[in-house]
PDB file of all heavy atoms in Angstrom:
ATOM      1  N   TYR A 622      -4.226  30.817  -4.787  1.00  0.00           N
ATOM      2  CA  TYR A 622      -4.808  30.744  -6.124  1.00  0.00           C
ATOM      3  C   TYR A 622      -5.065  32.103  -6.727  1.00  0.00           C
ATOM      4  O   TYR A 622      -5.360  32.198  -7.951  1.00  0.00           O
ATOM      5  CB  TYR A 622      -6.121  29.918  -6.067  1.00  0.00           C
ATOM      6  CG  TYR A 622      -5.857  28.422  -5.842  1.00  0.00           C
ATOM      7  CD1 TYR A 622      -6.383  27.799  -4.697  1.00  0.00           C
ATOM      8  CD2 TYR A 622      -5.115  27.619  -6.724  1.00  0.00           C
ATOM      9  CE1 TYR A 622      -6.212  26.446  -4.469  1.00  0.00           C
ATOM     10  CE2 TYR A 622      -4.841  26.329  -6.424  1.00  0.00           C
ATOM     11  CZ  TYR A 622      -5.421  25.699  -5.339  1.00  0.00           C
ATOM     12  OH  TYR A 622      -5.184  24.372  -5.103  1.00  0.00           O
ATOM     13  N   SER A 623      -5.077  33.159  -5.918  1.00  0.00           N
ATOM     14  CA  SER A 623      -5.301  34.468  -6.452  1.00  0.00           C
ATOM     15  C   SER A 623      -4.048  35.232  -6.837  1.00  0.00           C
ATOM     16  O   SER A 623      -4.038  36.337  -7.313  1.00  0.00           O
ATOM     17  CB  SER A 623      -6.052  35.329  -5.444  1.00  0.00           C
ATOM     18  OG  SER A 623      -5.260  35.595  -4.332  1.00  0.00           O
ATOM     19  N   GLN A 624      -2.837  34.545  -6.634  1.00  0.00           N
ATOM     20  CA  GLN A 624      -1.602  35.184  -6.912  1.00  0.00           C
ATOM     21  C   GLN A 624      -0.986  34.741  -8.240  1.00  0.00           C
ATOM     22  O   GLN A 624      -0.373  35.540  -8.953  1.00  0.00           O
ATOM     23  CB  GLN A 624      -0.644  34.769  -5.758  1.00  0.00           C
ATOM     24  CG  GLN A 624      -0.934  35.455  -4.450  1.00  0.00           C
ATOM     25  CD  GLN A 624       0.247  35.212  -3.471  1.00  0.00           C
ATOM     26  OE1 GLN A 624       0.486  34.109  -3.079  1.00  0.00           O
ATOM     27  NE2 GLN A 624       0.939  36.307  -3.144  1.00  0.00           N
ATOM     28  N   ALA A 625      -1.100  33.454  -8.609  1.00  0.00           N
ATOM     29  CA  ALA A 625      -0.477  33.027  -9.833  1.00  0.00           C
ATOM     30  C   ALA A 625      -1.218  31.790 -10.331  1.00  0.00           C
ATOM     31  O   ALA A 625      -2.071  31.219  -9.642  1.00  0.00           O
ATOM     32  CB  ALA A 625       0.993  32.635  -9.517  1.00  0.00           C
ATOM     33  N   TYR A 626      -0.927  31.430 -11.605  1.00  0.00           N
ATOM     34  CA  TYR A 626      -1.573  30.259 -12.177  1.00  0.00           C
ATOM     35  C   TYR A 626      -0.930  29.065 -11.553  1.00  0.00           C
ATOM     36  O   TYR A 626       0.316  28.844 -11.634  1.00  0.00           O
ATOM     37  CB  TYR A 626      -1.359  30.257 -13.740  1.00  0.00           C
ATOM     38  CG  TYR A 626      -2.109  31.302 -14.409  1.00  0.00           C
ATOM     39  CD1 TYR A 626      -1.468  32.568 -14.694  1.00  0.00           C
ATOM     40  CD2 TYR A 626      -3.476  31.197 -14.711  1.00  0.00           C
ATOM     41  CE1 TYR A 626      -2.163  33.615 -15.314  1.00  0.00           C
ATOM     42  CE2 TYR A 626      -4.161  32.217 -15.335  1.00  0.00           C
ATOM     43  CZ  TYR A 626      -3.568  33.404 -15.600  1.00  0.00           C
ATOM     44  OH  TYR A 626      -4.215  34.481 -16.193  1.00  0.00           O
ATOM     45  N   THR A 627      -1.738  28.248 -10.879  1.00  0.00           N
ATOM     46  CA  THR A 627      -1.309  27.178 -10.080  1.00  0.00           C
ATOM     47  C   THR A 627      -2.071  25.880 -10.432  1.00  0.00           C
ATOM     48  O   THR A 627      -3.257  25.913 -10.680  1.00  0.00           O
ATOM     49  CB  THR A 627      -1.462  27.480  -8.630  1.00  0.00           C
ATOM     50  OG1 THR A 627      -0.810  28.744  -8.336  1.00  0.00           O
ATOM     51  CG2 THR A 627      -0.784  26.412  -7.685  1.00  0.00           C
ATOM     52  N   SER A 628      -1.389  24.745 -10.314  1.00  0.00           N
ATOM     53  CA  SER A 628      -2.111  23.441 -10.483  1.00  0.00           C
ATOM     54  C   SER A 628      -2.778  23.066  -9.173  1.00  0.00           C
ATOM     55  O   SER A 628      -2.298  23.378  -8.079  1.00  0.00           O
ATOM     56  CB  SER A 628      -1.101  22.365 -10.834  1.00  0.00           C
ATOM     57  OG  SER A 628      -0.482  22.648 -12.084  1.00  0.00           O
ATOM     58  N   LEU A 629      -3.935  22.399  -9.307  1.00  0.00           N
ATOM     59  CA  LEU A 629      -4.650  22.010  -8.129  1.00  0.00           C
ATOM     60  C   LEU A 629      -3.968  20.851  -7.435  1.00  0.00           C
ATOM     61  O   LEU A 629      -3.381  19.959  -8.109  1.00  0.00           O
ATOM     62  CB  LEU A 629      -6.134  21.613  -8.538  1.00  0.00           C
ATOM     63  CG  LEU A 629      -7.056  22.708  -9.019  1.00  0.00           C
ATOM     64  CD1 LEU A 629      -8.345  22.116  -9.433  1.00  0.00           C
ATOM     65  CD2 LEU A 629      -7.251  23.723  -7.964  1.00  0.00           C
ATOM     66  N   ARG A 630      -4.012  20.824  -6.116  1.00  0.00           N
ATOM     67  CA  ARG A 630      -3.454  19.736  -5.341  1.00  0.00           C
ATOM     68  C   ARG A 630      -4.664  18.769  -5.012  1.00  0.00           C
ATOM     69  O   ARG A 630      -5.498  19.199  -4.241  1.00  0.00           O
ATOM     70  CB  ARG A 630      -2.760  20.167  -4.066  1.00  0.00           C
ATOM     71  CG  ARG A 630      -2.050  19.113  -3.261  1.00  0.00           C
ATOM     72  CD  ARG A 630      -1.420  19.722  -2.071  1.00  0.00           C
ATOM     73  NE  ARG A 630      -2.346  20.348  -1.149  1.00  0.00           N
ATOM     74  CZ  ARG A 630      -3.033  19.656  -0.189  1.00  0.00           C
ATOM     75  NH1 ARG A 630      -2.870  18.362  -0.051  1.00  0.00           N
ATOM     76  NH2 ARG A 630      -3.822  20.299   0.590  1.00  0.00           N
ATOM     77  N   VAL A 631      -4.651  17.621  -5.592  1.00  0.00           N
ATOM     78  CA  VAL A 631      -5.853  16.737  -5.527  1.00  0.00           C
ATOM     79  C   VAL A 631      -5.441  15.394  -5.073  1.00  0.00           C
ATOM     80  O   VAL A 631      -4.173  15.062  -5.108  1.00  0.00           O
ATOM     81  CB  VAL A 631      -6.618  16.647  -6.877  1.00  0.00           C
ATOM     82  CG1 VAL A 631      -7.150  18.002  -7.239  1.00  0.00           C
ATOM     83  CG2 VAL A 631      -5.662  16.130  -7.950  1.00  0.00           C
ATOM     84  N   THR A 632      -6.393  14.575  -4.643  1.00  0.00           N
ATOM     85  CA  THR A 632      -6.088  13.196  -4.232  1.00  0.00           C
ATOM     86  C   THR A 632      -6.048  12.201  -5.346  1.00  0.00           C
ATOM     87  O   THR A 632      -5.563  11.101  -5.178  1.00  0.00           O
ATOM     88  CB  THR A 632      -7.072  12.785  -3.124  1.00  0.00           C
ATOM     89  OG1 THR A 632      -8.396  12.881  -3.704  1.00  0.00           O
ATOM     90  CG2 THR A 632      -6.999  13.565  -1.829  1.00  0.00           C
TER      91      THR A 632
END
Side-chain angles (χ1 to χ4, degrees):
Y622 289 119
S623 67
Q624 287 188 297
Y626 293 96
T627 308
S628 298
L629 293 176
R630 185 178 63 85
V631 296
T632 55

